[in-house]
Amino acid sequence: MSDRIPLGEIRNHIGKRVKVQGFVDTIRDSRAMLFIVLKDITGKVQITLEKEQKPEAAAAMEGVTGDSVITVSGVVAENSYVKMGGIEILPEEIRVESIADPLPIARKEIPATKKKKAVERSGIDQRIDYRWIDLRTDENQFMFQVQTAFVNAMRQYLLNENFVEIHTPKLIGAASESGADVFEVKYFDRNAYLAQSPQFYKQMAMAAGLERIFEVGPVFRAEKSFTSRHTTEFTGFDLEFSYIDSFHDVMKLEENLLKAGLECIQDKYGEQIEEMFGIPVRVPGTPFPVISLKTLYEELEKDFGYTVDESEKGDLTTEAERLSFEWVKKHYDHEFLFVTDFDASKRAFYHMRDENGVPQGYDLIWRGVEITTGAQREHRHEILKRQAEEKGLAEDVKFYLEFFKYGCPPHGGFGLGVDRLTMLLLGLTIKEAMFIFRGPGRLNP
């Protein structure tokens, strides 16, 4: 007897005896026949059981509920009447591995029939309470296959560009970057903090001469945000590289990286994504459109009558982000937009500034949502120290400033949120796009 066959490969085993295992998706029981749809992460198959012919297998299924786990051994047969690809398994033996209690959530909306009332889908917060059950849907399992392919394609792109992968500490001794929005934890006899970014260590890698590095790892933000795109813990895809001429080198790398990721997704999953989520995957043309913040506000006023107070014009408002998607679609037929020339007061102290004090960095907006802040970093110790002092951070970042005292190449980089990319790719909210969401009010499951 061979080992378990994934259901997605059943078609290769017609006429053979196989062992399959999975969750019971649906059961249809009549006097003489039992039809079971079995599901695993690779697909579904119909198990067709004639009760009189296989009384032991029929007896094993008594009391089995939807979402129970079973093992079926039987022969794969072609049957043109079977809707699920014209394939069925004629079971010889069924073993029940686990019986499921009645489910506490409705994962999907179920329309009314003549015999039954409609079932409303449970709210997202209730579904997260039972996330392991919610994750069994086709859409959720497919989402993680897509996310895996996206991250892998970006990782492969960087490996081909001679990047190395590093893993930086998440427990740090000083509040990183701004001194705010960090989680404090007890660390033996003193306090430590959860890193809100690998930023300082990425730059330490540049000072160490590693030249091109990336990291995929957890990021923590102690922000009390209750939006459809914020979370207190997420997976970051960060990179940094040396010997750049300007932040335009960083932008070029990012657009090529995202193009490589989206090309892979379109080739592998484009049709399925459109079918399941109703959103086409578009591979972006390069270079991406670029606009200064000042010009963007002027354009949004011209095209959409959108105005903001002068005090807000040094940064992008959420509404301006949203409208920027309409603007870039209209003028460039593009989904991405680089926005440059932010106010220095709105950017981190380690961003390099030009002779006019303008930060040498950008935000990247995709489908109306910011996915990246990138920049050339300030690598000259005295200037960096002065910019930290300006923001009142000199003491907080003392250990970081040490990295630049003993020689450091010009460098830059950016970070992407894996969960936010998934959310935008598939048209979801952040709570739906994560394995398990963490927010100000949620620490379970």
Side-chain angles (χ1 to χ4, degrees):
M1 182 65 195
S2 63
D3 285 337
R4 172 183 177 238
I5 301 294
L7 298 182
E9 295 173 18
I10 282 295
R11 185 167 289 282
N12 303 331
H13 298 270
I14 292 167
K16 294 176 187 168
R17 190 169 190 265
V18 296
K19 179 173 95 174
V20 293
Q21 295 176 294
F23 288 91
V24 172
D25 195 54
T26 56
I27 303 174
R28 194 154 46 90
D29 195 356
S30 67
R31 194 173 56 82
M33 303 289 292
L34 189 63
F35 300 98
I36 307 152
V37 174
L38 192 66
K39 174 188 189 305
D40 70 11
I41 197 165
T42 67
K44 295 179 184 179
V45 74
Q46 178 174 299
I47 315 290
T48 306
L49 174 61
E50 287 190 47
K51 292 180 179 178
E52 271 187 21
Q53 279 190 12
K54 300 290 177 187
E56 285 183 7
M61 284 301 294
E62 282 179 21
V64 171
T65 53
D67 278 65
S68 297
V69 177
I70 62 173
T71 297
V72 179
S73 299
V75 176
V76 182
E78 287 188 279
N79 181 344
S80 58
Y81 291 104
V82 175
K83 288 176 183 172
M84 300 177 66
I87 300 277
E88 63 186 351
I89 293 178
L90 306 174
E92 292 168 3
E93 187 189 333
I94 295 178
R95 187 171 75 239
V96 178
E97 307 291 354
S98 169
I99 293 278
D101 283 355
L103 299 186
I105 55 168
R107 292 173 292 214
K108 291 187 174 186
E109 191 179 306
I110 304 168
T113 62
K114 286 179 184 175
K115 294 181 181 176
K116 290 182 179 177
K117 285 183 178 177
V119 176
E120 201 176 300
R121 189 185 192 194
S122 301
I124 182 63
D125 288 315
Q126 196 183 351
R127 297 202 314 276
I128 294 174
D129 288 341
Y130 297 92
R131 185 61 167 161
W132 64 97
I133 301 171
D134 191 41
L135 286 172
R136 292 175 193 167
T137 64
D138 297 346
E139 290 83 358
N140 279 332
Q141 294 188 342
F142 178 57
M143 171 176 76
F144 288 108
Q145 290 172 310
V146 170
Q147 186 182 88
T148 299
F150 202 163
V151 171
N152 187 53
M154 294 196 296
R155 178 184 261 118
Q156 285 304 319
Y157 175 82
L158 293 180
L159 293 174
N160 292 338
E161 293 290 319
N162 300 316
F163 277 72
V164 295
E165 186 168 5
I166 65 169
H167 303 281
T168 61
K170 303 306 160 211
L171 279 170
I172 56 176
S176 57
E177 295 201 27
S178 62
D181 300 335
V182 289
F183 291 109
E184 198 174 288
V185 294
K186 190 85 183 129
Y187 193 74
F188 304 110
D189 59 346
R190 58 195 187 278
N191 287 332
Y193 305 90
L194 294 179
Q196 63 165 192
S197 159
Q199 186 57 47
F200 290 174
Y201 293 108
K202 289 195 299 175
Q203 291 188 257
M204 179 180 143
M206 298 302 95
L210 288 175
E211 293 196 15
R212 297 179 152 231
I213 63 93
F214 72 97
E215 172 171 25
V216 184
V219 177
F220 302 91
R221 298 278 162 92
E223 296 172 345
K224 284 196 174 174
S225 293
F226 296 90
T227 73
S228 63
R229 59 190 190 168
H230 282 89
T231 177
T232 52
E233 179 183 355
F234 61 89
T235 302
F237 190 109
D238 278 86
L239 63 85
E240 203 79 14
F241 62 116
S242 290
Y243 302 109
I244 64 172
D245 291 326
S246 78
F247 71 98
H248 293 282
D249 295 337
V250 182
M251 290 159 70
K252 187 176 180 183
L253 183 80
E254 181 163 20
E255 63 193 14
N256 288 336
L257 176 75
L258 287 164
K259 185 177 182 179
L262 289 167
E263 270 174 351
C264 166
I265 294 303
Q266 189 188 57
D267 290 348
K268 202 169 182 182
Y269 295 122
E271 284 177 26
Q272 279 172 277
I273 289 173
E274 194 150 6
E275 205 177 287
M276 272 193 181
F277 295 94
I279 292 183
V281 178
R282 284 189 65 187
V283 176
T286 53
F288 292 1
V290 183
I291 192 170
S292 72
L293 184 62
K294 181 175 183 290
T295 308
L296 178 61
Y297 275 121
E298 288 166 2
E299 290 291 314
L300 294 182
E301 184 171 358
K302 202 189 302 174
D303 280 12
F304 308 108
Y306 178 70
T307 56
V308 294
D309 191 76
E310 279 301 318
S311 63
E312 290 190 85
K313 285 188 176 175
D315 203 357
L316 258 184
T317 63
T318 304
E319 181 63 8
E321 271 181 35
R322 190 185 67 76
L323 285 173
S324 74
F325 182 34
E326 300 307 315
W327 183 83
V328 81
K329 272 194 297 188
K330 178 181 169 184
H331 293 276
Y332 291 92
D333 188 27
H334 213 282
E335 294 187 342
F336 289 90
L337 181 64
F338 281 123
V339 183
T340 65
D341 297 5
F342 285 78
D343 194 293
S345 66
K346 304 295 184 185
R347 301 280 100 166
F349 75 90
Y350 51 77
H351 286 204
M352 184 178 275
R353 301 172 194 171
D354 69 9
E355 62 280 4
N356 300 312
V358 177
Q360 298 300 282
Y362 63 88
D363 274 4
L364 178 57
I365 315 298
W366 183 29
R367 294 179 172 174
V369 176
E370 179 252 305
I371 58 168
T372 292
T373 294
Q376 177 165 3
R377 319 301 186 188
E378 182 52 73
H379 61 282
R380 295 162 294 184
H381 178 258
E382 285 309 312
I383 298 172
L384 191 57
K385 188 180 172 196
R386 188 169 71 238
Q387 290 181 183
E389 284 165 355
E390 251 177 51
K391 297 207 180 229
L393 293 170
E395 280 306 305
D396 289 342
V397 298
K398 220 171 186 176
F399 84 100
Y400 162 77
L401 292 172
E402 285 285 306
F403 303 160
F404 303 90
K405 283 171 77 172
Y406 308 99
C408 185
H411 62 276
F414 58 86
L416 292 156
V418 169
D419 312 282
R420 194 175 276 197
L421 286 178
T422 308
M423 172 188 94
L424 291 167
L425 179 67
L426 303 178
L428 303 169
T429 65
I430 199 70
K431 288 181 179 181
E432 296 167 311
M434 300 183 75
F435 180 69
I436 296 177
F437 170 76
R438 285 287 176 262
R442 182 172 288 278
L443 263 177
N444 284 305

